[in-house]
Amino acid sequence: MLGRGGGGPRNQCILISGESGAGKTESTKLLLQHIMNLCKGNSQLEQQILQVNPLLEAFGNAQTVMNDNSSRFGKYIQLRFQRNTVQGAKLNEYLLEKSRVVRQDTGERNFHIFYYMFAGLSAEQKEMYGLLDPSLYRYISGRFGTQEVAEHWKLKYQEVCNALDMVGFQEQEQVDMQAILAGVLSLGNVTFEPEESNGSVKVSEASQGWLKAAAGQFGVQEDELLKCLICTTSVTRGEQIQRFHTQQQAEDARDSIAKVAYGRVFGWIVCKINELLAENVDPDVELREIGILDIFGFENFAVNRFEQLCINLANEQLQHFFNHHIFQLEQAAYKEEGLPWETITFNNNEPILNLLLAKPLGLLSLLDEQSAFPQATDKTFVDKLNSSFKESLHFQPARGRVLGFSIIHYAGKVQYAARGFLEKNRDTVPASVRGLFINSVTPLLSVLFTATVSRTGTLMPHVKAKVVPGADDKFNSTRKQSAGAQFRHSLMVLMERMYSANPHFVRCIKPNSQKEPGVLDSQVVLLQLRYNGLLETIRIRRDGFSWRPSFEEFAERYGILLVKPGVPLTKESCLEILQSTELKGWICGKSRLFFKYWHQEQLAKYVERLERAAVIIQKVFRGFRCKKSFLKLLAELRAQAQQVVPIHSDPERVHWCERNSLPVPMPRKRRPQSSPHPCDQSQQPPVPRPRSKLTEVAILALLGALSQVCWFPAPSTFCMHVFCMQSQENVVILVMRSSTPFDNFLNPSVPPPVLGTEEQTGEEAKMRKLKRGATLRWFTETQAQKVMQDDGAFPSWLQGMISRREAENLLIDKPLGCFLVRISQSRPGYILTYRGEGRCRHYMIQVQPNARYVILGEARAHASLTELVRYHQHVGIQPFMERLTVPCGQWHTCSAVVQEDQELPKPADPTEE
């Protein structure tokens, strides 16, 4: 999608659409997994991106009558790529259904996270958050579920906690977030009754405890919270005036506080995810993007409200985008290029969009107009619609005394209940709520209400809202922006982003309306195929040309098929390229070529065939060149060997050879040979490995001092593998190889060398020493107390700062499954070394900013290093599913690391590290 096998690199977007319950969210998760598997890049970032979905599902999905895991918000995931590797991600969310927090219809539930908390929290944690039996809470309708369902929710809660840890949420942030959610539930149980003396309302005696609990969970004063519920304070000419609420107004204020608190928590989660997954890339390299849109499906419930109108509006806009790309643009291109084409008709839903979005007489514009009038009601709004749209073919007034209206969408007729439209569009909250929550002792709640809200409804925690003194009733700078206007703006931004990218469409079809697996209702499926325009899409894909590159684009991409340099980017070159292939069915237009959908794959196969041929040519040429160089070097060495003096007759030369031997890297141990003598002719010589420049210099230094030699013991600083090549002049050539980072096979029969670090010189040694010192200080200052056991000792599996080779030497004679954890020498972190079958594996352990420990590539975060080890003693490590069994005894203890750190000089300037 980013340029391989087709056209040049270009931003892509994938639109996943369909009815509610058709499988859009599951398709999104599968697409993300597939893209992450193709990237093979930063495995930690990839795992964090994959953990976003279960986190958002818990806070943004709920059970409805159509779907047990219905998305009650829309999301657009932008994956940022640099050099075809994912480097970051950004999430945009649209129209969270906040009204679900305070009310659910029959057969529906609140957001998943409330049920997960009750099932997953321990008794001590529930007491800490002030949570009681779930059947007591009005906002979850007193319904909880069977024991089997509760066990499922408990596992889901653990997944959510792990996702929060993986993405990078701090522990205190998680505690504050759950305290706010508990406060929302307690607030829902506050009820009111009339005050007999002055006609105002008060909190009922039965719910005094719930008010106190909500105030404690929000971290505010109880009397201040009560004021927000029962009265409104305004300032007129410097004088404060209190207006007491009616019982209905008090209940509306209570529900408004609950909705805005939950909505801001959800918005903060999205902002936090974007901060933690922000790309860290080279600014000089252009980023490419793949966007995945998972948005709410078309809905038609028994009772449809303001939220269903916005959801169906979004689906109308996506259907228009689909029609525009598949039918309008494509058929217009055929006519413009002069191709023979019979026009395909389709169901154009542009009039419905005009009905909903036109200014100043569109439905949303009229809704904003009515919302601005304090005296307007839902009935006046419906009357305005009836008079404005009486001539429209897509609008129908409600019959009888029903307060509502009907709209004939592309997917069918939907009747909307207008009650509550104005209040939901105004999205009002009590005037003093913002000031109350800003002063909360719960840090997260203060952050949420200090932040401002963008024009599209996005929470911006790092941008403080503009506050006008004496105008608290304005709530913040975006108070005048209605919910409908915010949704319209966010939808406009989304469509602009998608129109600038190359779209791909995924249509999800719902098999039946009963939520039953393995059941296919042909009438339900056929209805979806018709109103989605898929039957017409199949026809235009069969008869049309889905790929239409320009002459320049095609010649630049496939000019290599002519196998000649300097192919001009012209129409003639394109025709020459196509004539050299066996493609049929393409058409040449005035300014571009037109191909069927399968032509692109066939051209990619031609290019791959040339690539394979190029590899074969390179292989043969490089082999010839290496053979020629080897024969030349062999002749020179033979000539030098005939001219030198025997080394054993000159002791000074032997001493010079040992003194001037250049060090080479210590090799990893090899499997035992059948003959110990290196010159045994019956032993087959091992295949030589590529030699480093350092090794070649050492060879020439030795051979320059050798004469007639049968065997020469290599100096201890070389630690070489030696084998012989016998020539006619009885000259033995020493061939040495250096170790490779992948050659970590273990040989138990060879005694391990003495443990110790290799000597380094120059700038490299200085940098290594600085990194080592910084890591030592990181361990002693931040980790030593965390990994230390109750008796003051370190675990037996925890080594000090040892190298990769030293770890392998420790495990060489240990049983399978033996392991150790060592401190990294070059970065703050750990490395787990595992004794496998004939080899060792090394797994990097990253310590995240939120103090969680993660093995790179794993999807689970751990609160401590000890917990990580215990977990993988029962669950294998990806991808080989190897379980830790026997801890390795300590050679270089962590106590020595602490002592070494104390002996190291501390840098005066921290930047020197």
Side-chain angles (χ1 to χ4, degrees):
M1 295 181 67
L2 294 175
R4 296 189 59 187
R10 186 183 173 190
N11 290 343
Q12 313 286 325
C13 67
I14 305 173
L15 278 73
I16 305 175
S17 58
E19 282 194 9
S20 179
K24 298 182 297 300
T25 301
E26 295 302 318
S27 299
T28 301
K29 290 190 284 189
L30 292 175
L31 268 172
L32 280 174
Q33 291 174 9
H34 181 63
I35 293 174
M36 293 301 104
N37 287 334
L38 292 177
C39 289
K40 303 296 184 184
N42 184 345
S43 57
Q44 179 64 10
L45 176 61
E46 293 164 8
Q47 285 296 336
Q48 288 177 325
I49 293 174
L50 292 176
Q51 291 298 319
V52 167
N53 265 315
L55 182 57
L56 293 179
E57 281 185 27
F59 286 87
N61 287 26
Q63 176 183 317
T64 67
V65 293
M66 299 177 67
N67 185 5
D68 290 344
N69 187 32
S70 177
S71 297
R72 308 319 301 162
F73 73 108
K75 63 175 178 287
Y76 186 68
I77 304 173
Q78 298 170 259
L79 302 177
R80 306 288 179 82
F81 290 84
Q82 189 179 57
R83 300 186 183 93
N84 292 336
T85 301
V86 64
Q87 297 291 339
K90 184 180 180 182
L91 187 71
N92 299 280
E93 52 95 7
Y94 304 97
L95 194 71
L96 177 71
E97 190 185 25
K98 294 182 291 186
S99 61
R100 181 167 295 271
V101 176
V102 300
R103 184 185 62 253
Q104 308 92 42
D105 290 332
T106 304
E108 299 191 348
R109 294 186 186 273
N110 209 324
F111 291 103
H112 291 327
I113 186 61
F114 293 113
Y115 306 96
Y116 293 173
M117 287 175 57
F118 281 111
L121 290 173
S122 64
E124 293 79 8
Q125 291 173 320
K126 289 179 182 178
E127 183 178 356
M128 179 181 71
Y129 291 121
L131 290 175
L132 304 178
D133 189 89
S135 62
L136 300 175
Y137 292 92
R138 189 177 65 87
Y139 279 170
I140 58 176
S141 304
R143 300 189 301 268
F144 192 66
T146 63
Q147 184 64 30
E148 182 180 354
V149 173
E151 287 296 325
H152 172 71
W153 286 342
K154 183 177 181 180
L155 295 177
K156 286 292 186 179
Y157 178 77
Q158 295 172 357
E159 291 181 9
V160 171
C161 293
N162 180 67
L164 290 167
D165 290 338
M166 284 290 296
V167 177
F169 286 79
Q170 299 290 339
E171 184 176 358
Q172 185 60 46
E173 293 173 339
Q174 299 181 35
V175 171
D176 290 349
M177 180 174 59
Q178 296 187 80
I180 295 173
L181 297 181
V184 167
L185 291 176
S186 297
L187 185 64
N189 283 9
V190 176
T191 57
F192 304 93
E193 59 186 17
E195 183 79 45
E196 297 179 358
S197 58
N198 53 10
S200 62
V201 295
K202 64 178 182 179
V203 175
S204 62
E205 293 294 333
S207 61
Q208 289 285 348
W210 292 112
L211 178 65
K212 183 176 182 180
Q217 289 155 339
F218 285 141
V220 298
Q221 294 294 328
E222 182 180 349
D223 56 341
E224 295 294 329
L225 180 59
L226 178 61
K227 286 182 181 179
C228 294
L229 295 173
I230 65 173
C231 67
T232 299
T233 304
S234 60
V235 179
T236 303
R237 295 180 181 180
E239 182 180 356
Q240 286 190 353
I241 300 176
Q242 281 189 345
R243 295 193 306 271
F244 288 95
H245 293 164
T246 64
Q247 184 170 347
Q248 183 61 48
Q249 288 174 332
E251 292 174 355
D252 291 342
R254 174 199 63 200
D255 293 344
S256 296
I257 294 174
K259 289 189 292 185
V260 74
Y262 188 87
R264 295 221 166 188
V265 167
F266 185 81
W268 171 79
I269 291 174
V270 173
C271 291
K272 192 73 176 178
I273 289 173
N274 290 335
E275 291 177 14
L276 298 171
L277 300 184
E279 60 271 8
N280 183 17
V281 295
D282 185 357
D284 298 330
V285 179
E286 184 180 2
L287 288 177
R288 297 295 178 184
E289 178 182 301
I290 294 180
I292 303 177
L293 178 65
D294 174 23
I295 204 162
F296 16 59
F298 187 87
E299 293 182 348
N300 187 2
F301 296 147
V303 179
N304 299 286
R305 299 185 174 89
F306 175 75
E307 292 81 11
Q308 277 67 50
L309 177 67
C310 294
I311 287 171
N312 293 339
L313 168 59
N315 281 272
E316 288 281 0
Q317 189 73 70
L318 295 180
Q319 180 67 20
H320 181 266
F321 179 74
F322 176 80
N323 293 339
H324 179 74
H325 274 273
I326 298 300
F327 298 108
Q328 292 178 321
L329 289 183
E330 191 162 333
Q331 297 189 95
Y334 298 156
K335 293 180 181 180
E336 183 180 349
E337 295 289 330
L339 271 66
W341 182 256
E342 181 179 352
T343 302
I344 296 177
T345 59
F346 61 94
N347 184 16
N348 189 354
N349 66 334
E350 191 168 347
I352 306 175
L353 287 177
N354 292 333
L355 169 69
L356 297 172
L357 296 175
K359 291 183 178 180
L361 297 177
L363 190 148
L364 289 185
S365 296
L366 295 177
L367 179 61
D368 286 344
E369 177 186 293
Q370 292 292 307
S371 299
F373 297 145
Q375 303 302 323
T377 63
D378 295 325
K379 186 178 186 310
T380 61
F381 168 63
V382 172
D383 293 340
K384 186 73 173 178
L385 294 183
N386 292 337
S387 62
S388 300
F389 302 135
K390 59 184 177 181
E391 302 295 334
S392 176
L393 299 177
H394 300 280
F395 179 88
Q396 292 182 359
R399 295 181 179 180
R401 297 183 179 181
V402 177
L403 186 62
F405 56 91
S406 298
I407 294 179
I408 303 175
H409 291 279
Y410 78 98
K413 178 181 175 181
V414 180
Q415 183 174 353
Y416 296 97
R419 189 172 304 279
F421 260 60
L422 292 183
E423 183 62 30
K424 290 179 180 179
N425 187 56
R426 289 167 180 156
D427 200 18
T428 56
V429 292
S432 53
V433 165
R434 180 173 178 271
L436 173 66
F437 284 163
I438 284 178
N439 297 321
S440 169
V441 297
T442 303
L444 178 58
L445 196 60
S446 178
V447 169
L448 295 183
F449 284 85
T450 305
T452 189
V453 178
S454 71
R455 194 181 181 192
T456 59
T458 302
L459 188 73
M460 298 186 292
H462 300 295
V463 180
K464 293 186 177 181
K466 298 178 182 178
V467 181
V468 179
D472 287 341
D473 58 323
K474 292 185 178 180
F475 187 61
N476 60 29
S477 60
T478 60
R479 166 67 164 77
K480 295 180 180 179
Q481 192 81 4
S482 67
Q486 289 180 356
F487 181 65
R488 184 168 59 239
H489 286 307
S490 63
L491 196 59
M492 180 180 64
V493 172
L494 173 64
M495 299 313 298
E496 288 177 356
R497 184 178 290 117
M498 291 193 297
Y499 272 107
S500 64
N502 185 33
H504 304 264
F505 300 95
V506 177
R507 292 287 186 154
C508 297
I509 303 298
K510 189 173 181 178
N512 61 79
S513 301
Q514 292 75 38
K515 299 189 289 186
E516 293 291 336
V519 177
L520 184 67
D521 189 332
S522 58
Q523 292 301 319
V524 172
V525 172
L526 183 60
L527 179 62
Q528 296 172 74
L529 294 178
R530 283 176 176 166
Y531 71 65
N532 280 328
L534 291 183
L535 300 180
E536 292 82 1
T537 305
I538 293 171
R539 181 181 169 192
I540 200 173
R541 279 290 168 262
R542 182 192 63 193
D543 300 335
F545 302 87
S546 59
W547 184 38
R548 304 178 291 277
S550 64
F551 294 140
E552 294 79 7
E553 180 184 349
F554 183 83
E556 182 179 5
R557 180 67 182 173
Y558 295 103
I560 190 175
L561 296 178
L562 293 179
V563 198
K564 64 180 182 181
V567 176
L569 307 180
T570 61
K571 176 180 179 180
E572 291 72 20
S573 299
C574 296
L575 295 177
E576 186 179 357
I577 293 170
L578 291 170
Q579 289 169 1
S580 66
T581 66
E582 299 178 355
L583 293 184
K584 297 179 181 179
W586 54 270
I587 296 180
C588 180
K590 298 177 182 179
S591 63
R592 60 185 62 246
L593 295 166
F594 291 82
F595 294 96
K596 299 289 186 179
Y597 63 88
W598 64 82
H599 284 149
Q600 199 167 1
E601 182 179 353
Q602 293 178 348
L603 284 168
K605 290 181 179 179
Y606 285 118
V607 175
E608 290 176 2
R609 186 171 64 182
L610 281 181
E611 290 177 350
R612 289 195 298 268
V615 170
I616 293 175
I617 294 173
Q618 291 176 357
K619 179 180 68 174
V620 174
F621 173 74
R622 288 174 178 174
F624 168 77
R625 187 175 61 180
C626 291
K627 182 178 180 181
K628 185 177 180 180
S629 300
F630 173 75
L631 293 176
K632 181 180 178 181
L633 178 62
L634 183 61
E636 291 176 356
L637 294 178
R638 287 176 176 173
Q640 293 177 9
Q642 292 176 355
Q643 298 174 5
V644 296
V645 183
I647 187 170
H648 51 75
S649 62
D650 190 353
E652 294 184 359
R653 185 160 294 185
V654 174
H655 178 66
W656 175 89
C657 180
E658 295 182 351
R659 185 176 67 252
N660 292 276
S661 298
L662 298 177
V664 297
M666 181 183 298
R668 303 189 187 269
K669 292 167 286 301
R670 306 290 296 174
R671 296 187 181 278
Q673 304 293 330
S674 57
S675 175
H677 198 281
C679 294
D680 189 355
Q681 295 298 316
S682 64
Q683 176 68 29
Q684 292 291 332
V687 179
R689 295 294 182 95
R691 297 174 295 177
S692 65
K693 296 294 184 182
L694 191 63
T695 307
E696 293 180 3
V697 173
I699 293 175
L700 296 179
L702 275 178
L703 292 178
L706 295 178
S707 60
Q708 298 176 355
V709 179
C710 181
W711 168 252
F712 181 78
S716 59
T717 54
F718 275 82
C719 297
M720 301 173 292
H721 287 296
V722 183
F723 66 91
C724 304
M725 293 182 63
Q726 189 78 27
S727 67
Q728 293 179 356
E729 293 83 2
N730 197 26
V731 177
V732 176
I733 300 175
L734 299 177
V735 180
M736 300 168 290
R737 72 164 188 88
S738 59
S739 62
T740 65
F742 304 104
D743 186 15
N744 61 345
F745 291 96
L746 302 177
N747 185 359
S749 64
V750 179
V754 179
L755 294 175
T757 57
E758 300 174 10
E759 184 179 357
Q760 300 289 330
T761 58
E763 191 66 24
E764 182 182 353
K766 182 180 178 181
M767 292 302 299
R768 183 181 291 270
K769 186 175 181 180
L770 287 175
K771 290 181 180 179
R772 179 184 177 91
T775 308
L776 288 174
R777 281 186 290 276
W778 165 80
F779 177 79
T780 55
E781 294 173 3
T782 66
Q783 297 293 307
Q785 294 299 323
K786 293 182 180 180
V787 297
M788 191 176 294
Q789 297 175 342
D790 295 337
D791 58 358
F794 291 99
S796 59
W797 41 261
L798 185 61
Q799 301 290 328
M801 185 176 287
I802 62 176
S803 67
R804 175 187 180 121
R805 186 169 303 141
E806 291 168 348
E808 293 176 0
N809 290 336
L810 281 174
L811 297 176
I812 190 172
D813 55 351
K814 296 294 191 298
L816 294 180
C818 188
F819 69 97
L820 59 87
V821 177
R822 53 194 172 93
I823 304 172
S824 174
Q825 294 180 307
S826 58
R827 61 175 183 85
Y830 300 93
I831 298 175
L832 187 147
T833 303
Y834 176 86
R835 171 69 158 90
E837 183 68 37
R839 68 179 65 211
C840 280
R841 300 198 205 286
H842 304 271
Y843 300 96
M844 295 179 64
I845 301 177
Q846 178 172 321
V847 184
Q848 299 189 149
N850 60 351
R852 294 298 189 266
Y853 299 80
V854 180
I855 296 179
L856 290 189
E858 285 285 318
R860 187 177 180 87
H862 304 272
S864 66
L865 199 59
T866 302
E867 180 184 311
L868 182 147
V869 170
R870 290 175 179 170
Y871 176 79
H872 286 293
Q873 286 177 337
H874 305 283
V875 180
I877 305 175
Q878 298 284 353
F880 303 104
M881 301 308 296
E882 296 170 328
R883 290 191 297 177
L884 310 179
T885 56
V886 183
C888 179
Q890 292 180 343
W891 170 74
H892 188 198
T893 65
C894 293
S895 302
V897 173
V898 176
Q899 182 178 1
E900 182 181 354
D901 175 54
Q902 295 172 351
E903 296 173 355
L904 283 174
K906 302 296 187 294
D909 185 2
T911 59
E912 294 179 5
E913 296 181 19

